[in-house]
Amino acid sequence: MKYQRKNGSLFNSPSATAAAFVHLQDSNCLNYLHSLLERFGNTVPTAYPLDIYVSLSMVDNLERLGIDRHFKNEIRILLDRIYICWLHMEEEIFSDMATCALAFRILRMHGYDIPADALAVFAGENFFETPGGCLKDLCSTLEFYRASHILISPDEQILERQHLWSSNFLKQCLSKCLTATDVFDGRIIQEVDYALKFPFYANLERLENKRTLEHYNIDNLRILKSSYRSSNIENKDLLDLAVEDFNLCQSIHQKELQQLERWVIENRLDKLKFARQKLTYCYFSAAAATLYFPELSDARMSWAKNGVLTTVVDDFFHIGGSGEELVNLIELVEKWDGVSTTDFCSVHVEIIFSAIKNTTNEIGEKAFSRIGHHVTSHIIEIWLKLLNSMMKEAEWTHNKVVPTPEEYMAYAYVSFALGPIVLPALYLVGPDIPEEVVRDTEYHNLFKVMSTCGRLLNDIQGFKRESKEGKLNAVSLLMIPSNGVVSEEEAVERISGMIEINRRELLRLVLQSKDSVVPRPCKDLFWKMSKVVHLFYRNNDGFTSLQEMVSAVNAVIEEPLSIPPSDVVSAA
């Protein structure tokens, strides 16, 4: 029999195997059925074995609920065991598309060496035409679609093809306006719609956690070859824990936001009328996407404060500051110590420099108490690189210089201003980062590809606005030398390709373990910030817009969980 597995079953289905035995009297089918009766008695499961699928689904569920950090050791032990099964090409993984795709995604995202060609057997539309295919299995197709986003090199054409046909299939299902015949089907349609709207690289963890909690179903069925329910995948105890955890984190975030509002006033940043007031957005990017654990308060506050300061400095260089003031600010940061009131050429410079210095020294002290060595000089260096890059761009604008795209990007990825936000926070997330790691090319490359993605996304969405203001960016610099040969659409397409290349490289750097010197918890921050900027600039300039991200911000920081009455738990 073509679809008989090594254990004697057809698709790990007792009913299908029993039917085959009745018709064919196959001894392997009989041995499989006898093994079930010995293990389970007269009541056998609808599918067996499902150990790997259930284990992977449990890990996936914990991550979606936002409580996986409480089970780190257990998850690592479990994934080590599943990785051994992967290396041994266990039939339980590779004979089922949903299990294989789920294993691929989770193992690769946890840093295991998983080649893309392992999915080749499932790639292509012809697979849908086989009895083992998934013409009617949206769950399997959705899982395959999610796996197709985990690209880490330019030569993973298998994943590219997989992404194309799985996304097309899912879109076709939605376009037909499938009518849900039961709760399960309705939920899957919602999952498909959400996955297509918010791809993996633009989906923030905390938004995903809240959505999962509010749509959690402790009676959920998983449809494989037949209906299947496991109490280990979705249950009330996990929901209780996750709700309690979310509410605790949200209450901490609300208090921290109040502290930050006082910090803005204490540092007189509210007096800078030229500057965009983006405190809540800056804190949202820390609390929602990167550092929502209660114990990471110092890193969260560093991230948010420097997010506010980089926004102020960006507006100062583009709107509020004169040439004299810009030079003065750079000279003060270079001098740092021994600055007196007579060194300031304006009140604006005094406010900005004082806020940068006070915040940097505060972060330096907290980092020293954690890791035992001084980092303040490195944070000053980060600020100087940013200020000098912004100054170069200001000089280009003032002197009407048109740089080449290469000259522009050499400064533009730094002037996107993620350096002071992300890099100091790395000292506050746990693992020590010694000087040799900071100077390593891996550390620099992580920062560069993350910032390049952000800069290019910003330039695409800000092209029309900046063109009206007489500013150049990556889009216009591709169009200018061509004398009209390269259209805006063609320039945007080229830049989108560059973003894709850099995003893959960033994920590769984050996931690689061999010869890596930057600790994984630190590398994760680069990827999470990339997800922030992909969400912010997904449809518009979400950072500059007054309304674009309001609902997302409120959902994480302000609005309480909305759990259906039937699922209300004691922790709520």
Side-chain angles (χ1 to χ4, degrees), residues 322-382:
S322 65
E324 179 188 5
E325 287 176 312
L326 303 185
V327 171
N328 185 216
L329 178 60
I330 294 175
E331 290 175 344
L332 291 169
V333 175
E334 289 174 338
K335 184 177 181 181
W336 198 256
D337 293 319
V339 174
S340 65
T341 55
T342 59
D343 293 323
F344 303 114
C345 72
S346 71
V347 174
H348 286 171
V349 172
E350 179 184 3
I351 292 173
I352 296 171
F353 173 75
S354 298
I356 291 174
K357 183 175 182 179
N358 293 339
T359 303
T360 297
N361 287 340
E362 176 189 16
I363 294 169
E365 291 172 2
K366 289 182 177 180
F368 181 79
S369 67
R370 279 176 171 264
I371 60 180
H373 60 87
H374 296 284
V375 301
T376 302
S377 60
H378 179 229
I379 302 175
I380 297 170
E381 178 185 327
I382 294 168

Side-chain angles (χ1 to χ4, degrees), residues 161-434:
R161 292 195 299 270
Q162 170 190 325
H163 178 78
L164 180 62
W165 65 253
S166 61
S167 60
N168 285 340
F169 177 76
L170 295 175
K171 290 174 183 176
Q172 289 172 10
C173 290
L174 289 180
S175 68
K176 293 177 182 177
C177 299
L178 296 180
T179 302
T181 57
D182 52 37
V183 174
F184 171 81
D185 287 338
R187 289 190 67 212
I188 291 301
I189 293 299
Q190 291 176 358
E191 286 292 318
V192 169
D193 185 51
Y194 185 82
L196 291 172
K197 287 180 179 177
F198 298 95
F200 156 73
Y201 54 81
N203 189 14
L204 305 191
E205 286 179 39
R206 218 50 181 155
L207 290 171
E208 172 76 5
N209 297 155
K210 187 172 188 182
R211 183 180 179 278
T212 301
L213 282 165
E214 294 182 338
H215 293 82
Y216 200 79
N217 181 8
I218 59 176
D219 296 320
N220 186 33
L221 284 174
R222 298 293 177 102
I223 304 299
L224 299 170
K225 294 296 177 286
S226 55
S227 298
Y228 175 76
R229 176 185 288 117
S230 171
S231 61
N232 292 327
I233 297 178
E234 297 192 33
N235 62 50
K236 185 176 180 295
D237 290 336
L238 291 180
L239 181 59
D240 282 352
L241 175 61
V243 168
E244 181 179 7
D245 187 84
F246 186 94
N247 289 338
L248 171 63
C249 291
Q250 189 178 62
S251 66
I252 293 172
H253 299 159
Q254 290 171 351
K255 292 176 183 177
E256 289 178 349
L257 185 57
Q258 293 173 357
Q259 295 173 20
L260 287 166
E261 290 169 349
R262 291 193 294 271
W263 169 82
V264 167
I265 296 173
E266 290 168 359
N267 285 273
R268 298 181 294 163
L269 296 174
D270 57 321
K271 303 299 182 183
L272 303 175
K273 302 305 180 184
F274 61 83
R276 290 165 290 173
Q277 300 301 312
K278 294 294 181 179
L279 170 61
T280 306
Y281 276 25
C282 294
Y283 184 73
F284 165 78
S285 70
T290 53
L291 307 159
Y292 59 86
F293 305 167
E295 62 270 22
L296 295 179
S297 178
D298 287 345
R300 233 175 358 257
M301 298 297 271
S302 166
W303 185 291
K305 288 179 180 179
N306 280 327
V308 171
L309 291 174
T310 53
T311 303
V312 168
V313 168
D314 183 62
D315 289 342
F316 190 55
F317 271 77
H318 287 96
I319 302 171
S322 65
E324 179 188 5
E325 287 176 312
L326 303 185
V327 171
N328 185 216
L329 178 60
I330 294 175
E331 290 175 344
L332 291 169
V333 175
E334 289 174 338
K335 184 177 181 181
W336 198 256
D337 293 319
V339 174
S340 65
T341 55
T342 59
D343 293 323
F344 303 114
C345 72
S346 71
V347 174
H348 286 171
V349 172
E350 179 184 3
I351 292 173
I352 296 171
F353 173 75
S354 298
I356 291 174
K357 183 175 182 179
N358 293 339
T359 303
T360 297
N361 287 340
E362 176 189 16
I363 294 169
E365 291 172 2
K366 289 182 177 180
F368 181 79
S369 67
R370 279 176 171 264
I371 60 180
H373 60 87
H374 296 284
V375 301
T376 302
S377 60
H378 179 229
I379 302 175
I380 297 170
E381 178 185 327
I382 294 168
W383 271 107
L384 280 174
K385 287 181 179 179
L386 172 62
L387 296 175
N388 285 319
S389 293
M390 288 182 168
M391 190 65 181
K392 186 67 173 180
E393 294 180 345
E395 291 171 351
W396 284 339
T397 301
H398 178 75
N399 298 323
K400 300 189 185 316
V401 172
V402 179
T404 66
E406 293 75 20
E407 290 171 336
Y408 169 76
M409 285 306 302
Y411 292 94
Y413 83 87
V414 178
S415 69
F416 189 62
L418 297 185
I421 301 173
V422 176
L423 302 183
L426 299 181
Y427 290 116
L428 302 171
V429 296
D432 184 17
I433 306 181

Side-chain angles (χ1 to χ4, degrees), residues 29 223 419 545 568:
C29 290
I223 304 299
S545 171
V568 171

Side-chain angles (χ1 to χ4, degrees), residues 416 418 448-460 499 530 533-534 537:
F416 189 62
L418 297 185
K448 185 175 182 179
V449 293
M450 171 194 67
S451 298
T452 299
C453 284
R455 167 51 69 194
L456 294 177
L457 285 163
N458 173 270
D459 283 5
I460 288 176
I499 293 170
S530 175
V533 295
H534 273 86
Y537 298 107

Side-chain angles (χ1 to χ4, degrees), residues 497-515:
M498 294 167 62
I499 293 170
E500 173 71 22
I501 291 171
N502 280 275
R503 186 172 64 237
R504 291 190 192 186
E505 176 61 11
L506 176 58
L507 188 56
R508 184 191 70 80
L509 289 169
V510 170
L511 299 183
Q512 75 171 10
S513 55
K514 185 179 180 180
D515 300 324

Side-chain angles (χ1 to χ4, degrees), residues 56 76 79 82-83 86 100-119 146-160 162 200 504 507-508 510-513 520 524:
L56 290 167
R76 174 55 64 181
L79 293 184
I82 294 175
Y83 183 55
W86 179 283
C100 189
L102 188 58
F104 174 87
R105 175 168 62 86
I106 291 178
L107 289 173
R108 181 174 268 204
M109 284 304 298
H110 279 263
Y112 295 90
D113 184 15
I114 303 294
D117 57 9
L119 299 179
R146 287 169 173 159
S148 71
H149 281 104
I150 319 299
L151 292 127
I152 58 175
S153 73
D155 58 353
E156 294 189 323
Q157 289 85 5
I158 289 174
L159 290 181
E160 292 174 357
Q162 170 190 325
F200 156 73
R504 291 190 192 186
L507 188 56
R508 184 191 70 80
V510 170
L511 299 183
Q512 75 171 10
S513 55
R520 176 63 190 266
D524 283 341

